[in-house]
């Protein structure tokens, strides 16, 4: 038995992989693999339409939002977002680039800020960099711009392990700027009120499926503002008008995402997964907090339920720890190189048994080396 704690690409539900294997050579009697189908044929159209309907139902996405499948991952979106939104407040037809507000809560926000700065003026409205990203700046301390084109957050910092436990309200301070959220590493792990966001986006390879597809959920009034130099394939309006088929979409990745959406429905939907994710996080943080052999330094009110970085008291034991974990089938626990230590990513597809196996190992290792 193996449990895979990778931060991404990450564990997928075994049932999904089994179904994909069963359907690999012949999808539903079509005589074709999904990989071999025209994206415009009736077989593939039924796959993508079901995936869209399922994710809309799972996230309760209002009808005035489009769901787009793009490529390039969340990192490409760091450029695509300002290219689509930076002129939001400019006079009609002028495409004047404005100010975008960003909240810096960790490695991924830092990257988003750097990239956006190539396309527009960035105001870092709040940052926890001086606290080594161990907490999220209180909403009351954000210095938002009255005329912001949009406000960007990373709602779960995969590397640093901080997660918003609420949706920040930004419209009142900005005369209605939309909230834009990078949800790559916690989308579908908890209930979210989509109507509070202008744009939600994420790469699939954490909680949705294989790498190669990016999901963008965008309110319709935010379409049609792209800067003139925005590549057509990244202009959300063009992509939306073409039902995500302006260019060939990543067909196989979308098919697997669709199987994951069906799996989530069978689990009882996002609320059921959220309850499980809370239990998993309690189990792991609870143990880490119970001993000074291990530590997690993130403020209790913003600890991520998905990505749990932790340290051994003695760094010199790291390699021994990882080798012993691997022997027990506990894989990919090494922390990100920028943070060090360990990181356990416990996405939707990680069962509580996997977290229990990790806690059992933490205890045994401490007994041996503490
Ligand atoms: C993984 C991740 C990214 C990067 O995604 P790519 O698919 O590599 O572009 C960006 N933001 C967050 C929060 C992530 O977890």
């Amino acid at each position: 038995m193996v449990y895979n704690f990778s931060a991404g690409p990450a564990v997928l539900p075994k049932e999904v992989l089994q179904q994909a294997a069963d359907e690999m050579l012949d999808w539903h009697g079509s005589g074709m693999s999904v990989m071999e189908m025209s994206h415009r044929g009736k077989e593939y159209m039924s796959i993508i339409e079901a995936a869209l309907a399922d994710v809309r139902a799972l996230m309760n996405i209002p009808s005035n939002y489009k769901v787009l499948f793009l490529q390039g991952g969340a990192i490409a979106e760091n450029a695509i977002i300002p290219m689509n939104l930076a002129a939001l407040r400019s006079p009609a037809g002028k495409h004047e680039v404005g100010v975008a507000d960003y909240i810096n809560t960790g490695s991924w926000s830092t990257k988003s800020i750097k990239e956006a700065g190539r396309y527009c003026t960035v105001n870092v409205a709040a940052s926890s960099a001086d606290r080594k990203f161990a907490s999220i700046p209180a909403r009351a301390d954000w210095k938002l711009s009255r005329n912001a084109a949009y406000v960007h957050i990373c709602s779960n910092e995969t590397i640093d392990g901080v997660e918003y436990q609420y949706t920040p309200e930004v419209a009142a301070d900005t005369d209605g700027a939309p909230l834009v959220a990078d949800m790559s590493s916690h989308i579908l792990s908890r209930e979210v009120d989509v109507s509070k966001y202008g744009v939600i986006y994420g790469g699939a390879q954490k909680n949705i499926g294989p790498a190669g597809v990016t999901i963008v959920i965008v309110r319709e009034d935010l379409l049609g503002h792209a800067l003139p130099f925005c590549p057509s394939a990244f202009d959300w309006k063009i992509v939306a008008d073409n039902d995500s088929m302006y260019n060939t979409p990543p067909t196989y990745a979308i098919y697997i995402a669709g199987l994951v959406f069906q799996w989530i429905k069978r689990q009882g939907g996002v609320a059921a997964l959220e309850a499980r994710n809370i239990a998993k996080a309690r189990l792991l943080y609870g143990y880490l907090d119970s001993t000074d052999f291990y530590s997690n330094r993130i403020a209790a009110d913003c600890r991520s339920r998905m990505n749990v970085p932790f340290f051994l008291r003695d760094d010199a034991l790291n390699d021994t720890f990882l080798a012993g974990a691997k022997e027990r089938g506990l894989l990919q626990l090494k922390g990100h190189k920028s943070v060090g230590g360990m990181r356990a990513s416990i996405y939707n597809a990680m069962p509580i048994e996997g977290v229990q196996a990790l806690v059992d190992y933490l205890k045994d290792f401490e007994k041996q080396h503490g």
Side-chain angles (χ1 to χ4, degrees):
M1 187 73 204
V2 153
Y3 293 112
N4 177 359
F5 295 91
S6 170
V11 59
L12 286 167
K14 200 135 277 166
E15 290 160 65
V16 165
L17 296 176
Q18 189 58 59
Q19 185 178 348
D22 293 345
E23 297 177 347
M24 175 62 77
L25 297 182
D26 178 8
W27 183 83
H28 294 202
S30 66
M32 295 179 280
S33 173
V34 174
M35 279 183 248
E36 304 171 302
M37 291 175 181
S38 161
H39 55 296
R40 299 185 196 281
K42 73 174 184 344
E43 293 90 351
Y44 191 75
M45 287 303 291
S46 75
I47 291 173
I48 192 170
E49 280 165 10
L52 281 169
D54 285 342
V55 75
R56 279 191 168 276
L58 285 170
M59 292 184 68
N60 203 10
I61 298 174
S63 58
N64 62 325
Y65 284 72
K66 296 284 190 194
V67 178
L68 311 178
F69 293 125
L70 286 98
Q71 298 181 61
I75 288 185
E77 287 304 315
N78 286 340
I80 295 168
I81 287 162
M83 284 196 278
N84 276 274
L85 296 182
L88 207 55
R89 296 293 180 91
S90 93
K94 282 259 170 78
H95 294 303
E96 274 166 20
V97 169
V99 174
D101 282 359
Y102 279 71
I103 310 304
N104 191 2
T105 50
S107 303
W108 287 115
S109 316
T110 303
K111 275 203 181 173
S112 299
I113 288 165
K114 195 167 171 221
E115 184 74 0
R118 302 176 62 196
Y119 300 95
C120 60
T121 304
V122 170
N123 168 45
V124 179
S127 171
S128 51
D130 58 346
R131 282 168 272 160
K132 295 194 171 155
F133 300 125
S135 61
I136 291 174
R139 171 64 190 85
D141 299 332
W142 297 9
K143 305 264 186 295
L144 297 172
S145 312
R146 177 54 64 191
N147 61 341
Y150 60 92
V151 179
H152 181 280
I153 62 171
C154 175
S155 47
N156 184 67
E157 288 278 2
T158 321
I159 292 173
D160 304 272
V162 295
E163 177 176 15
Y164 286 75
Q165 303 299 338
Y166 69 103
T167 298
E169 196 286 323
V170 298
D173 289 1
T174 57
D175 283 341
L179 181 63
V180 175
D182 177 355
M183 291 198 185
S184 293
S185 51
H186 74 161
I187 192 166
L188 292 164
S189 73
R190 61 188 299 148
E191 291 195 288
V192 160
D193 181 351
V194 175
S195 72
K196 291 185 170 166
Y197 295 82
V199 180
I200 290 170
Y201 69 101
Q205 70 272 22
K206 316 299 173 38
N207 243 344
I208 290 182
V213 59
T214 320
I215 188 166
V216 176
I217 302 166
V218 52
R219 211 172 60 212
E220 281 170 353
D221 62 288
L222 304 178
L223 301 171
H225 303 276
L227 299 171
F229 57 76
C230 177
S232 308
F234 294 149
D235 178 332
W236 292 335
K237 178 160 173 33
I238 293 176
V239 177
D241 288 348
N242 288 278
D243 296 321
S244 295
M245 294 208 184
Y246 176 72
N247 62 333
T248 310
T251 53
Y252 197 77
I254 293 168
Y255 155 72
I256 299 286
L259 296 184
V260 172
F261 300 150
Q262 290 169 21
W263 175 82
I264 296 175
K265 287 203 315 193
R266 292 197 299 275
Q267 307 308 299
V270 174
L273 285 180
E274 178 169 10
R276 274 194 221 169
N277 289 331
I278 290 170
K280 283 152 53 184
R282 279 210 182 119
L283 177 59
L284 182 50
Y285 285 111
Y287 184 68
L288 294 171
D289 288 345
S290 73
T291 160
D292 59 10
F293 189 79
Y294 303 103
S295 62
N296 165 280
R297 55 180 183 80
I298 305 302
D301 64 349
C302 52
R303 284 173 160 183
S304 171
R305 292 175 188 162
M306 296 284 102
N307 309 100
V308 184
F310 64 93
F311 297 91
L312 276 59
R313 191 172 56 204
D314 179 4
D315 261 356
L317 289 171
N318 284 356
D319 289 344
T320 317
F321 177 88
L322 288 167
K326 195 169 176 199
E327 244 166 61
R328 289 202 187 190
L330 308 174
L331 305 182
Q332 309 206 65
L333 282 163
K334 193 177 163 89
H336 190 271
K337 61 182 183 307
S338 66
V339 174
M342 307 297 153
R343 174 174 47 168
S345 294
I346 50 176
Y347 296 121
N348 281 346
M350 172 63 65
I352 193 147
E353 291 79 9
V355 180
Q356 187 60 57
L358 173 59
V359 168
D360 291 345
Y361 175 61
L362 292 171
K363 285 182 190 167
D364 290 348
F365 188 83
E366 178 177 351
K367 246 182 242 152
Q368 227 181 331
H369 300 274

